[in-house]
Amino acid sequence: MALDVGAVTAWMNDFATQISDHENRLTELDRAIGDGDHGTNMARGMRAVSELDGSTFSTAREYLTKVGMTLVSTVGGASGPLYGTFFLCIGELWDDNADASGLSTALRGGLDGIIRRGKASPGDKTLVDALAPALEAYDTHAHRGVGIALQGAAIACAEGRDATIPLIARKGRASYLGERSRGHLDPGAASMTLLIEAASRTLS
Ligand code: ADP
Ligand code: MG
């Protein structure tokens, strides 16, 4: 299976559609424990990404780098630099002809970039709590190929998202609420699940 610029463009366009469809829900989640802008932030960024013309990029790597830069420059708040870093880092490691293990390397590079930038640990009630278990599940299933591995990742991502509900936030705006952040689902974990679900539909 090719992880070429066409496949990656399909991934980004699917994610952009999901973000647009869930914009209000993401904003509502952020209103409960943040400042109520996660949906609008992500929708603004992904609208700009979907305006990029994939056919003008010769490699997926080049396109992913542009996606990262676009998100950094158009999305306000914490999520812009974090998602931007994710795509810049996976772009650096991307190989159009990678097998399941090569795709794991790229995705793990993205998670490492998010952690370097945001300093979140697992359990801090952030998008890391969705992405980290997704990549663990991916690796567990990688020997069965990219498609099955991404399906496993999407399921684990959603479980990680839902498991943020009882957590107390220790990073980002939600951390200002302390104990009062408990009982709410983390908005970034929700958008991250849309990203991994989109990957499982388009990259397999
Ligand atoms: P802001 O908090 O600046 O308004 P957003 O509302 O767009 O930005 O994004 C909030 C989301 O960003 C949170 O739900 C959380 O998942 C994620 N987030 C915030 N800070 C961090 C961090 N330091 N590391 C990882 N993710 C973070
Ligand atoms: Mg916010």
Side-chain angles (χ1 to χ4, degrees):
M1 191 209 64
L3 295 170
D4 61 7
V5 67
V8 178
T9 306
W11 178 24
M12 290 304 99
N13 289 338
D14 186 312
F15 181 45
T17 302
Q18 293 305 310
I19 288 291
S20 159
D21 289 352
H22 293 82
E23 176 178 345
N24 292 342
R25 166 81 178 138
L26 294 171
T27 285
E28 220 173 84
L29 290 171
D30 194 37
R31 204 172 287 132
I33 55 170
D35 55 353
D37 63 357
H38 189 57
T40 41
N41 282 344
M42 293 301 294
R44 186 183 325 110
M46 289 313 296
R47 247 190 321 271
V49 167
S50 60
E51 280 161 14
L52 299 173
D53 180 357
S55 68
T56 61
F57 299 89
S58 49
T59 62
R61 192 176 272 230
E62 210 178 279
Y63 173 67
L64 283 162
T65 303
K66 184 68 179 176
V67 167
M69 287 174 356
T70 301
L71 291 176
V72 169
S73 63
T74 58
V75 183
S79 56
L82 293 169
Y83 272 97
T85 299
F86 177 79
F87 289 110
L88 289 170
C89 290
I90 67 172
E92 268 175 40
L93 296 166
W94 200 267
D95 171 3
D96 287 24
N97 298 307
D99 59 6
S101 136
L103 180 56
S104 170
T105 302
L107 295 172
R108 287 211 168 268
L111 172 62
D112 290 348
I114 286 177
I115 291 172
R116 257 197 320 276
R117 179 115 202 179
K119 310 268 182 290
S121 303
D124 284 352
K125 197 180 181 101
T126 71
L127 43 78
V128 168
D129 293 315
L131 183 56
L135 299 190
E136 272 167 43
Y138 180 97
D139 287 342
T140 301
H141 296 290
H143 65 283
R144 298 166 70 195
V146 169
I148 303 274
L150 283 173
Q151 277 174 28
I155 292 166
C157 201
E159 287 169 358
R161 170 199 65 198
D162 295 344
T164 63
I165 293 174
L167 299 174
I168 295 177
R170 290 199 215 92
K171 282 285 180 293
R173 279 178 204 281
S175 66
Y176 307 157
L177 292 182
E179 188 66 44
R180 280 183 296 135
S181 64
R182 210 195 276 284
H184 300 279
L185 192 147
D186 177 63
S191 58
M192 182 55 73
T193 303
L194 298 176
L195 177 66
I196 301 302
E197 288 174 345
S200 97
R201 280 189 294 270
T202 52
L203 301 181
S204 44

